[in-house]
Amino acid sequence: MGPFSIVIIQVTVVIAAVLLGPKDGAWVGFTWGFINWIRAFVWPTSPMAIYVLVNPLVSVLPRLLVGLISGWALLKMVRNVHDAKVWQLSLTGIIGSLINTVLVLGFMAGMYYLGWLPLDKLNVKAFMPWLLGIMATNGIPEAIMSGVLVPLISKPLLRYVK
């Protein structure tokens, strides 16, 4: 986590939700989140991962909800996913990405404020700008990337899904 550490998990989860529906999208999100959770124990990707991603509220639940909510959002926009326009798929990708960013960082902040993170010496005044900085430097590019990749990948694959 840090400046320009772009995550692509949400793109694959949103594509699964588009192609397979919200329920299966949630399962794909759960699987990615579970893998992320295990990885936090055996091969952490950052120093914060050993404190934060070992909690399934941060590593698993947001990814599950990305699949579920982005799948529901698309179904609210179209009756049949095969009729989805590029802008609807793009918006679905952006929604999934924002859900991921807001929930992961939101759960991190909430856990800190509840005292669930073993970071007693962390300065709150320094912590929140750090989280907001991650949201800006990672969240915005991730949302743009998801908005571009989801329709580019999903639209051709929808031809092969019943």
Side-chain angles (χ1 to χ4, degrees):
M1 295 180 147
F4 305 111
S5 176
I6 305 301
V7 177
I8 61 168
I9 289 174
Q10 77 282 356
V11 173
T12 60
V13 174
V14 173
I15 291 170
V18 167
L19 299 175
L20 306 172
K23 184 179 174 184
D24 289 332
W27 274 108
V28 171
F30 171 81
T31 303
W32 271 119
F34 185 74
I35 291 168
N36 199 308
W37 179 67
I38 297 296
R39 188 173 179 193
F41 289 103
V42 297
W43 190 12
T45 56
S46 74
M48 284 297 289
I50 59 175
Y51 295 109
V52 177
L53 295 178
V54 294
N55 188 320
L57 283 177
V58 178
S59 55
V60 179
L61 185 60
R63 277 54 183 244
L64 182 148
L65 292 175
V66 165
L68 192 65
I69 296 171
S70 61
W72 283 343
L74 180 62
L75 291 178
K76 289 290 183 188
M77 289 187 269
V78 297
R79 286 181 182 240
N80 184 344
V81 295
H82 296 290
D83 299 330
K85 295 179 177 31
V86 170
W87 73 268
Q88 292 166 321
L89 294 169
S90 184
L91 183 58
T92 302
I94 292 168
I95 289 168
S97 181
L98 292 176
I99 290 166
N100 186 60
T101 300
V102 169
L103 290 181
V104 168
L105 297 178
F107 282 137
M108 283 174 61
M111 287 173 32
Y112 174 77
Y113 283 116
L114 290 172
W116 293 359
L117 287 179
L119 302 172
D120 299 338
K121 300 194 187 330
L122 186 65
N123 181 350
V124 175
K125 290 182 181 182
F127 185 64
M128 289 315 289
W130 180 73
L131 282 180
L132 294 173
I134 290 175
M135 233 182 237
T137 61
N138 293 347
I140 294 169
E142 284 174 8
I144 293 167
M145 178 190 65
S146 295
V148 171
L149 290 179
V150 168
L152 277 175
I153 297 168
S154 298
K155 196 71 168 159
L157 290 177
L158 279 169
R159 290 184 220 143
Y160 302 102
V161 177
K162 293 181 182 178

